[in-house]
Amino acid sequence: MGTRKRSLRTGSSLASLFTGLATLGALLLAAPAAQSADAPLRDLADAKGKVIGTAVTGSKLSGTYAEVAAREFNWLTPGNAMKWESVEPSRGSFNWAEADRIVDFAEANGQQVRGHTLVWHSQNPGWLTNGDFTPAELRTLLMDHIDTEMTRYRGRVAAWDVVNEPFNEDGTYRQTLWYDGLGQDYIAEALTRARAADPSARLYINDYNVEGVNAKSTALYNLVRSLKERGVPIDGVGLQAHLILGQVPGTFQQNIQRFADLGVDVAITELDIRMQLPVTDAKLAQQAADYRAVMDACVAVDRCSGVTVWGFTDSDSWIPDWFEGQGAATPYDENYAPKPAYDAIAASLGGTSEPPGEGCTATYSVVNEWNTGFTGQVRIDCADTALSSWRVNWTYGAGQRINQAWNADCVQTGTAVRCSNASYNGTVPRGGSVTFGFNGTWSGSNPVPVVSMG
Ligand code: 9MR
């Protein structure tokens, strides 16, 4: 049993390491000059005066999920906890537990909260949607709901999505409980009531498919203009940005700018970028470019307050449940390993664009080999840099396949292997190291691959 090592960078000086133990191998690849890992996204965003937010699920706010949510984001949006069906499941009977938990967590971590959402056609309780209410009763119910929820969190929720998704794709008003009962002025009535309930909160209308210039965003634009003209309180528009890989609208920045020119703020409120599974490196690279384009469009416009992602990890995303065969829409994978999209967000906010792991070295070793199987190991050494997460990649040249890994999350697509830290070992201190292992199969030969980090 033994190891063979060589370096791509200084191959000749390592000739002595070719010890003739030819069947087993290791490869050392030194990455370029040391560079500290990026600051957390929220520090980068704070320095730019921008929001970097995430939707969160209250019941998940512990362990790694809580650590990442607190470390990386300066705003939180309850994904579901503040919706009507969550807070008043039966009439007059309230449940604030999850919403309270999120607001408390945000305050404990110096984060602001985006309230979501007060007036919507969806996720309303059955007693409301099935009730046979007169317009006057509906109005009272809606106004009381706004009062109750906004008063509870008065001064603690910095911005509210007061009205959610009021338009159809063609720019006509969506026929909802509220539109049908109260007419289109339910929007103005709700905003006016919201201002009275919490004068300190920024009041928004929020919708999807309004990121580029199109019929729907133009309807929203015309509504905001007319509300401003009438003196109805409106502080901003939320562009949800549930996007499809490779389809960031070319008019994104222009659209943000035209709302800004109306004298309102713009927030990107629910960003995710979904792809057809399985994940490939090419798709992740496209996704990173898409995240970068969205971030850059917001960063470029002063009145764009910032970007909130709709869940920060693929383990807490609505996409797989709603779009069959699609997913991987958020900046972190299911194991909290940051994806290239994370680096793209950081880079747009002024961080370095170094991928995680840059500045450390990875050594691939075959530590055991038999018949058609082998055990491999990768050791990451960080001499003069520290990491908060890492990724290691290689391509097998002789048909090897990994079938099990430990202390890392490894995915093999064709011949390409990509491993990222497990939730518990992403941190490598300066001068420290971390090791992970895997079992695989081989036949014919088992040459050592070229390993790279990032
Ligand atoms: O993320 C939310 C998901 O858990 C719910 O099942 C879904 C039900 O409609 O709502 C999701 O959030 C939506 C948000 O509240 C409004 N814009 C669209 C979001 C995705 O559906």
Side-chain angles (χ1 to χ4, degrees):
M1 220 48 67
T3 56
R4 179 182 71 213
K5 296 190 177 184
R6 66 192 158 96
S7 162
L8 285 185
R9 192 175 58 167
T10 54
S12 58
S13 69
L14 291 178
S16 63
L17 289 171
F18 287 85
T19 57
L21 300 168
T23 54
L24 302 176
L27 180 141
L28 175 69
L29 175 69
Q35 176 130 27
S36 290
D38 267 334
L41 298 179
R42 64 182 288 177
D43 295 355
L44 300 171
D46 285 347
K48 280 205 172 304
K50 294 283 181 186
V51 169
I52 185 73
T54 181
V56 288
T57 302
S59 59
K60 296 185 177 175
L61 281 173
S62 61
T64 307
Y65 183 94
E67 275 167 38
V68 178
R71 186 185 69 223
E72 300 288 339
F73 300 95
N74 58 14
W75 279 62
L76 300 181
T77 304
N80 289 300
M82 288 183 167
K83 293 170 180 173
W84 201 327
E85 72 173 7
S86 302
V87 300
E88 195 183 2
S90 41
R91 191 170 180 182
S93 160
F94 295 91
N95 180 359
W96 304 105
E98 193 191 346
D100 283 356
R101 182 170 179 180
I102 293 168
V103 175
D104 289 347
F105 181 93
E107 287 178 348
N109 291 290
Q111 298 165 307
Q112 302 208 63
V113 176
R114 181 172 196 89
H116 177 85
T117 176
L118 295 165
V119 189
W120 195 20
H121 62 273
S122 181
Q123 292 186 276
N124 286 320
W127 64 264
L128 177 63
T129 47
N130 301 329
D132 194 14
F133 299 112
T134 65
E137 288 169 336
L138 264 185
R139 176 173 289 109
T140 301
L141 283 167
L142 183 60
M143 297 302 139
D144 286 352
H145 173 65
I146 291 170
D147 284 348
T148 304
E149 185 151 4
M150 287 190 74
T151 303
R152 182 176 182 86
Y153 297 109
R154 185 184 287 152
R156 304 177 73 198
V157 168
W160 271 102
D161 292 328
V162 177
V163 177
N164 201 34
E165 302 174 0
F167 288 109
N168 294 315
E169 298 305 293
D170 65 0
T172 56
Y173 281 98
R174 189 194 286 267
Q175 292 189 277
T176 69
L177 175 67
W178 310 115
Y179 180 87
D180 294 344
L182 308 178
Q184 68 184 54
D185 240 21
Y186 80 89
I187 296 172
E189 290 185 54
L191 288 163
T192 303
R193 191 66 164 227
R195 179 68 93 224
D198 183 356
S200 69
R202 306 285 291 166
L203 308 181
Y204 278 69
I205 302 172
N206 187 50
D207 215 327
Y208 63 91
N209 287 351
V210 291
E211 294 74 31
V213 174
N214 58 34
K216 193 175 185 180
S217 65
T218 298
L220 179 59
Y221 177 87
N222 290 335
L223 170 63
V224 171
R225 189 173 57 189
S226 108
L227 292 172
K228 296 281 286 182
E229 281 166 6
R230 291 167 58 194
V232 175
I234 173 75
D235 301 312
V237 293
L239 315 182
Q240 292 184 8
H242 293 293
L243 302 177
I244 297 170
L245 191 71
Q247 295 185 26
V248 178
T251 51
F252 208 133
Q253 186 177 326
Q254 177 193 338
N255 191 43
I256 293 173
Q257 187 66 57
R258 72 171 171 158
F259 282 103
D261 292 344
L262 277 182
V264 293
D265 293 340
V266 179
I268 313 304
T269 50
E270 305 184 14
L271 176 63
D272 51 24
I273 302 178
R274 60 187 183 266
M275 62 181 71
Q276 195 68 38
L277 299 174
V279 170
T280 65
D281 282 349
K283 290 179 196 171
L284 291 175
Q286 177 66 55
Q287 186 184 50
D290 293 346
Y291 266 89
R292 178 76 195 245
V294 172
M295 292 297 304
D296 285 354
C298 182
V299 167
V301 180
D302 275 355
R303 285 204 82 140
C304 188
S305 60
V307 175
T308 289
V309 294
W310 205 241
F312 62 89
T313 159
D314 292 337
S315 67
D316 186 40
S317 168
W318 67 298
I319 297 295
D321 294 337
W322 287 69
F323 299 94
E324 205 183 333
Q326 298 187 47
T330 78
Y332 284 83
D333 75 10
E334 291 93 343
N335 298 306
Y336 302 107
K339 292 151 61 176
Y342 174 94
D343 305 320
I345 295 171
S348 181
L349 291 171
T352 72
S353 53
E354 297 294 340
E358 208 72 31
C360 301
T361 57
T363 310
Y364 179 111
S365 309
V366 176
V367 296
N368 195 8
E369 192 177 82
W370 63 94
N371 297 334
T372 57
F374 71 98
T375 298
Q377 174 183 289
V378 169
R379 179 186 159 108
I380 297 168
D381 288 287
C382 296
D384 46 10
T385 191
L387 301 180
S388 58
S389 63
W390 43 263
R391 289 197 297 265
V392 181
N393 309 292
W394 65 87
T395 301
Y396 278 129
Q400 301 101 314
R401 287 210 67 84
I402 285 188
N403 47 33
Q404 182 200 7
W406 50 94
N407 298 336
D409 176 33
C410 293
V411 177
Q412 181 165 357
T413 310
T415 57
V417 179
R418 177 184 180 82
C419 298
S420 49
N421 60 274
S423 58
Y424 52 83
N425 65 358
T427 301
V428 186
R430 189 179 294 264
S433 65
V434 66
T435 301
F436 65 91
F438 43 90
N439 284 334
T441 57
W442 66 286
S443 69
S445 67
N446 189 15
V448 294
V450 175
V451 182
S452 62
M453 297 201 64

